[in-house]
Amino acid sequence: MAEAVRPRGLLAVRLAPRRPAIAAAALVLAVMGLAAVAAPLLTPYDPIATDTAATALPPGSPGHPLGTDLLGRDLLAGLLYGGRTSLLVGLAAAAMTVVLGTLLGAAAAAGPRWLDSLIARAADMLLSLPMLIVTLALAAVAGPSLATVIVAVAVTSWMPVALIARAELRSQRERLYIRAAYGLGLSGAQVFRRHLLPGALPPVASIAAFEVGHAVLTESTLSFLGLGIPPNRPSWGNLLTETKAHLLTGEWYTVAYPAAAIVIVIIAVNVLANAVAPADGRAW
Amino acid sequence: MRFLAVRAATSLLVVAALSVLCFGLVSLAPGDPAAEILEARNGGRPVPAAAVAALRAEMGLDDPLPARYARWAGDALRGDFGVSYLTGRPVSETLADTVPWTLLLTGAATVLSVLGAVAVGLVAALTRRAWLRRGIETAMFVLGGMPGFVSALLLLYLFAAVWRVLPSGGLGRPGEPLTPGVVLTYLALPALALTFGHHFGTYVRLIQSGVGRLRDAPHVENARVRGLSRWTVTTRHLLRPGLVPFTARLGVGVGGLIAGAYATEVIFSWPGVGRQAIEAARSHDYPVLVAVVLVTGVVVVLANLLGELAVARLDPRIRRSPRG
Amino acid sequence: MRIPKLVIGAVATALLAAGCGQAAPGGRPAQAGGAGAASGSFTYAIGDEPETLNPVLQDEHTDPVTELVFRGLTRHDADNKVVPGLAESWRVSEDGKSYTFTLRKGLTWHDGKPLTSADAKFTIETVRDAGTDAPLSRNFRTVTGVETPDETTVKLTLDRPFAPMLHSLSVGLLPRHLLEGKKVTDPAYGRAPVGAGPFKLVTWKHGQYAELAAFDGYYEGRPGLGKIVIKYVPDDTARLVQLTGGEVDGANIAPQQAAKVKGLANLRTEVYPTADYRALMLNFKFPVFGDKKLRQALNHAVDRDAIVKSVVLGYGKPASGPLDESPYAAATPYTFDPAKVTSLMTEAGYAKDANGIWAKDGKPVRFELSTFAEESLRVAILNVAATQLKAQGFDVVPMPRPRDQVRKNWAGQQSFVVGWGTPYDPDSSVYGPFHSSEALSKGGSNFGEYANPEVDKALEEARSTMDEGKRRAAYERFQKALADDPPFVWIAYLQTLNVVPADMTGPQRRTLGHHGYGFFWNAEKWRRNAS
């Protein structure tokens, strides 16, 4: 099982975290999150409102610090509102992954044997498939929407969480202090919360953090391929799709903003995830 | 090799499950394929219900689900994946045209990944210069945070637009014979993009830690003291055992590469299967989509199997325990 | 393990060699002109690729390959007038119910088989009977009989006069010997078609390119170019890069790219008008569009000049109706006039609410504006128009949707950026979208369910009269009725930009069709003159 738990892709990139890096990552994420939440306060523009009198302005133009696109839409507004969508997808998908994974893991640990092996086989199968392909098929059937992206990410990423939750619950279940807790009359839910959850929390928290970055990446890839967030709703992936044509025609900055936002979020999240990961580095 | 038999059986099971999943996906997907075909022909306008019903009957869509699965699976086993809803072209022909190019692209990217990661990883593990190691680590960390398509766009911008040393995409000039030289010229950019966009940082890290762990180990020191050449020490005593975690990871990584090839192919107009998949997903061309997913799944499962085989060769301990 | 290592080494070495060597095509623009001239070849990059090259399965706007491979009994000249094609002459009876065509002598198909009147009969009957399989079938519903008294004579009998008949017969003829007994939708034929046009198809690699070679047996003599390659490059930017890098000789480009090509001495940009217009279709199933005064106000609320200037950088012109680019043009333009919007809306009983939105009986004017999300030009028009309408007090929600989501639910689109228009006979592009019998719910292409008895009457008369004067009068009445009771908010006619090598002669300006299709209309006369 330990083999199967190994996370894929960027999840496995590790940098020995140092304190200033952690602080910087946390600060960057906090600033980006705040900026996304406070987008209407930070820019007077509607991200999809065009302005035929102010098209294709370069960065540093008065009133448009990052410039405008060919239809006069403010690039800063797009970036801020796009951050709302992308970060929302990231957080929601991570939350859903953890909930789904914990539930399935708990079900596998506590449920009948056939359920345990069913969940384990399903996890094995999903782990052996590239998740983009599964996501692609899901998106094709369900049609592009915010919910599709979130669900697709969760459905293809719950396995590590489930395996950890299952292992943790199983190893703890038979311990004396757990039996003692039951003996003292605590309910199942209380035992779960007080004694079983804390052991599983650090590795799960680390996965959850990675998952935020992972979901941001998946959102952008799917939207870039036209299968993610519906068009005209700013997200970093959609901004990239719209602007990638300018890459070769001079307005490279229109591509650079959303691309940089995605890369920065993922790097910051990875730094944080490494910081909360179990110190022995056994799993990741 | 009991271990291998168990693994092969598991892989077969995964493929079978995948086929059921794929078929279910097609059958449960919203929309009536017969109506979609007719509407596509009619410029998106609705068509009379009688015409749809006739085509449904012709396509055998009214049969019960298990019967349809049996028929579909039987055909698929014989390499017949039906015809595209959109073009009427047999899906097997499309696959034959495109799958080899995707395999070439992922194969080239895998080779580049291995060579590049071994080189960079060794430098990072063996160098005594802290700034160099630190620099490589940081660069790999940043690379790890870069979505595959972003690095692809970056490479496209630099090589095709700014320096103009490599073609921006496609495969050869139309009508010109595809000599190996031409293919390699057009392959270079997508293969590089695929390499650096997927797992490269992870690979370097794995080799660095795998080899780094052994660098100052007593038996390696012993080998050096015995006066073995630097090359022998590095290859036999450091690289071979140091590669185990990396090789184990590579099998999974190849699967990721094939998936990553989808976006790369779209960006570089590479005539592989990924572009077909995206097009099919967008236009609900389920026969094509399902065949592509299935074929990709089989390739990935095979790659995983090969990866484990390689690990077993490198590390005899694994061969003895079936569950790794 | 030894063999893989060897392979690894070989591939890597070759890759490196290719990367550093001179083989890179990016560095060969100097060579491209010379190589092209020697064989007289032309490689042209375009975005859209058809699913089939069978002309009767496409609409009357055919893609370049189909256009080059096929020829009909009639064809169109530089003014889009009907002139002889495979038929050298014809006679139309006084009552418009009988057509007699005389085919040219010695016509052959690309495969060398003779082309006779039997092929013409086969094509007309096949298309007529194809029903929903072939959109062009609607043009032949009036044909009751086709006779072939001899090898070069075709006689059509109609049950009632149909003015667009000569135009309809410009559809490419299909070879009977290859298609008889098969369905017209036969995919094998659609992939490897055999026609009688100036160029024959050599290969079609779906997703990559189609290669065509001059047809020696073409009835006007061997074409000037030996080879034409149509390369499919969906991405606008990739097309430009391949063009400037010399990977292709010519390309269809976006207006935003015109400036990048202008400075290059070896290329020339041909800018042609098209009859392809964009408009906001209003869906009459939604009561918000019931009042014609409101629809007039919408038409006065968009600033067409600003849209043309920003979205297509001036490569287009404001639209005032569906026939602006046809010989029957008679519509009066709607001006951008906020004062008029206010007066019309006030007359209709609307007043602005607290949010500055026009409202009546407490209900604000609010509707969705949609379009195909895949088409960036339509999405751009959608966003600019939505912003402009919002500024005039209409609460427009911009909502582009994926193409197949729209196709499944045309009826649910409240308003939509549509593209219609034809440079040929106007009938096909006005009868379908505006006649009430063609309503979506009846399987037609009047997606907005527009119904106006006056419009119906004028359209019927225009298609069934053989008298040019009466036809003109009918289309005038039609355009007047549309202006008074607008079904659409007219936006703009587009121009199309095609880049060709500077040494190319022959391309001639003509009003083109949808997607700018029709650029290759006289390609048999093109040649490359470089030394």
Side-chain angles (χ1 to χ4, degrees), chain B residues 36 41 44-46 48 86-89 93 111 115 165 167-168 173-175 184-186 271 275 282-284 313, chain C residues 8 12 14 24-25 28 51 132-133 135 185 187 191 207-209 211 229 231 241-242 246-247 404 408 410 440 444-445:
Chain B
E36 300 226 351
R41 273 187 212 149
R45 288 184 273 275
L86 217 62
T87 58
R89 190 167 181 230
E93 278 182 27
V111 169
L115 293 177
V165 288
S168 63
R173 295 162 75 91
L184 282 173
T185 314
Y186 283 84
R275 272 209 303 169
R282 279 195 199 142
S283 53
H284 294 207
R313 265 197 86 91
Chain C
I8 287 167
R28 57 182 296 184
E51 297 304 339
T132 49
D133 275 350
T185 51
R191 288 201 306 276
Q208 299 181 57
Y209 64 89
E211 186 185 337
V229 177
K231 193 172 175 190
V241 170
Q242 300 197 1
E247 286 179 63
D404 45 59
K408 278 190 206 115
W410 271 112
L440 178 72
S445 43

Side-chain angles (χ1 to χ4, degrees), chain C residues 202-216:
Chain C
V202 180
T203 40
W204 179 24
K205 291 215 184 249
H206 196 82
Q208 299 181 57
Y209 64 89
E211 186 185 337
L212 301 119
F215 173 42
D216 294 328

Side-chain angles (χ1 to χ4, degrees), chain A residues 11-277:
Chain A
L11 301 197
V13 175
R14 266 170 58 78
L15 188 70
R18 291 190 303 185
R19 297 249 164 245
I22 298 169
L27 188 70
V28 163
L29 285 180
V31 167
M32 286 186 125
L34 268 177
V37 172
L41 303 175
L42 295 176
T43 174
Y45 300 104
D46 176 346
I48 56 169
T50 62
D51 181 358
T52 49
T55 56
L57 296 178
S61 303
H64 299 283
L66 297 187
T68 62
D69 70 4
L70 293 177
L71 296 177
R73 284 173 292 203
D74 185 62
L75 291 175
L76 177 63
L79 204 59
L80 290 170
Y81 282 90
R84 281 186 155 191
T85 311
S86 292
L87 294 176
L88 174 69
V89 168
L91 292 173
M96 201 169 156
T97 303
V98 168
V99 170
L100 192 67
T102 313
L103 283 179
L104 285 169
R113 237 191 114 71
W114 62 266
L115 188 64
D116 184 20
S117 49
L118 183 75
I119 291 172
R121 287 287 93 58
D124 267 353
M125 197 184 88
L126 278 172
L127 277 169
S128 70
L129 285 177
M131 81 139 243
L132 182 69
I133 291 176
V134 181
T135 317
L136 193 80
L138 279 175
V141 172
S145 80
L146 194 75
T148 308
V149 176
I150 294 171
V151 170
V153 171
V155 163
T156 50
S157 325
W158 56 268
M159 299 80 74
V161 181
L163 294 173
I164 287 171
R166 172 174 170 275
E168 199 63 38
L169 289 177
R170 288 194 133 182
S171 72
Q172 302 280 329
R173 196 165 47 185
E174 301 308 320
R175 299 250 175 114
L176 264 184
Y177 75 97
I178 299 290
R179 291 204 201 158
Y182 279 113
L184 285 171
L186 288 172
S187 72
Q190 281 170 316
V191 171
F192 180 77
R193 202 173 59 238
R194 290 201 196 155
H195 299 293
L196 297 180
L197 205 56
L201 209 54
V204 168
S206 170
I207 299 182
F210 274 126
E211 210 49 55
V212 174
H214 185 220
V216 168
L217 184 142
T218 308
E219 180 277 312
S220 60
T221 308
L222 281 181
S223 301
F224 183 76
L225 296 172
L227 294 160
I229 306 292
N232 234 43
R233 168 164 190 167
S235 81
W236 290 336
N238 273 346
L239 290 177
L240 269 178
T241 314
E242 278 173 30
T243 54
K244 73 165 191 286
H246 307 322
L247 191 59
L248 302 172
T249 53
E251 293 93 355
W252 56 269
Y253 52 87
T254 55
V255 187
Y257 299 146
I262 294 169
V263 173
I264 289 171
V265 163
I266 294 176
I267 290 176
V269 156
N270 284 0
V271 169
L272 284 189
N274 278 312
V276 293

